Amino acid sequence: MNTNTPQTHGQTAPQSDSLTQDELKTLVGQAALQYVVRGELVGVGTGSTVNKFIDALATIKDQIPGAVSSSVASTERLLALGIPVFDANQVERLSVYIDGADEIDHQGHMVKGGGAALTREKIVAALSDKFVCIADESKLVNVLGAFPLPVEVIPMATARVVRQFAALGGQAVVRHKNGQPLVTDNGQHIVDVVGLKIHDPLAFEAEVSQWPGVVTVGVFAFQRAQVCLLGTAQGVKTLNF
Ligand code: 5RP
């Protein structure tokens, strides 16, 4: 958990008691409802914070036609709550995409992919006019790179991609689940990279995205957030970028 101080230019809803991380996630998940355009589809991310948003979304499900989902896990949760899920190819644009982040900086650039859903998340974000990030305050950083950077790779490229990160000073390891390399919703692998400080997220994303075998790098600079609803001890703080 980092201890960066949140920006002060946002609006804060007052909150008296100290809240658990889970309660902060619930708060921001509920706060995100104000950005859902009634009568329109909404883009839905992935993760424990988004799960709170999906639960909140179920309370207004009669006011929207449905959602475009960024993962099998979110699709299953949406459907279980009676929210129709549409294929991204059926949609030309979305007014808003709601998702969490592993890190977000003071310009709205993010590291994402802790839940291995980064590729579909970036696709749905790219379809959307506005990215609203929901996160607790431990995610706010001055410079991206404290959280291991997820990168989805085609398995035959893994060793070469690991060497390319080593040349940049990073150490990349293949993510495992149950003793096996984790397989994403897209049938690929994830490497997590530590030891990098990402001072120029746009340039970094542009460069790594071109490496052969890289499906998606978990830096979201081209698809950065325009809004962050940050759960803090003082309540939900709204950061506009
Ligand atoms: C999944 C993601 C998530 O948004 C990110 O990992 C944050 O998750 P959580 O809300 O559980 O902290 O990028 O691929």
Side-chain angles (χ1 to χ4, degrees):
M1 174 156 167
N2 74 65
T3 54
N4 288 287
T5 307
Q7 278 177 246
T8 53
H9 64 259
Q11 301 164 350
T12 305
Q15 196 74 35
S16 51
D17 302 320
S18 63
L19 298 168
T20 66
Q21 194 177 33
D22 193 63
E23 288 167 333
L24 292 177
K25 290 178 182 188
T26 301
L27 267 188
V28 294
Q30 291 170 342
L33 282 186
Q34 67 190 290
Y35 289 89
V36 176
V37 180
R38 293 348 188 226
E40 293 190 19
L41 292 170
V42 58
V44 174
T46 299
S48 58
T49 316
V50 165
N51 284 345
K52 306 291 191 184
F53 168 67
I54 295 173
D55 294 347
L57 191 64
T59 66
I60 61 155
K61 66 182 175 189
D62 295 339
Q63 299 174 46
I64 56 165
V68 175
S69 168
S70 62
S71 65
V72 171
S74 287
T75 296
E76 287 174 351
R77 194 176 189 95
L78 286 159
L79 292 176
L81 290 169
I83 301 169
V85 175
F86 290 73
D87 190 294
N89 287 302
Q90 294 175 267
V91 176
E92 211 164 296
R93 62 165 279 280
L94 295 164
S95 49
V96 67
Y97 177 62
I98 313 281
D99 199 358
D102 300 306
E103 290 185 327
I104 182 164
D105 72 11
H106 293 272
Q107 288 75 45
H109 306 126
M110 295 164 286
V111 163
K112 293 184 43 53
L118 63 165
T119 296
R120 296 187 189 195
E121 290 173 342
K122 206 174 265 193
I123 292 167
V124 186
L127 280 171
S128 306
D129 295 341
K130 179 180 281 187
F131 191 133
V132 176
C133 176
I134 51 177
D136 67 80
E137 65 184 332
S138 70
K139 308 290 184 67
L140 187 65
V141 298
N142 291 322
V143 179
L144 300 179
F147 188 88
L149 172 69
V151 183
E152 185 164 357
V153 293
I154 291 172
M156 73 171 285
T158 302
R160 183 169 188 276
V161 167
V162 167
R163 290 195 295 274
Q164 284 186 282
F165 277 117
L168 294 183
Q171 300 89 50
V173 292
V174 177
R175 193 182 301 182
H176 281 68
K177 185 178 179 184
N178 301 328
Q180 298 293 324
L182 178 145
V183 178
T184 68
D185 288 351
N186 313 305
Q188 312 302 335
H189 290 173
I190 298 278
V191 295
D192 292 302
V193 192
V194 297
L196 298 174
K197 282 288 171 204
I198 303 168
H199 292 282
D200 186 344
L202 272 172
F204 185 91
E205 182 180 6
E207 181 189 338
V208 176
S209 297
Q210 293 184 57
W211 293 357
V214 167
V215 178
T216 302
V217 58
V219 170
F220 282 52
F222 288 95
Q223 273 76 44
R224 69 176 176 86
Q226 281 74 47
V227 177
C228 179
L229 301 176
L230 200 67
T232 77
Q234 291 77 42
V236 179
K237 188 166 282 196
T238 304
L239 310 181
N240 292 291
F241 305 107

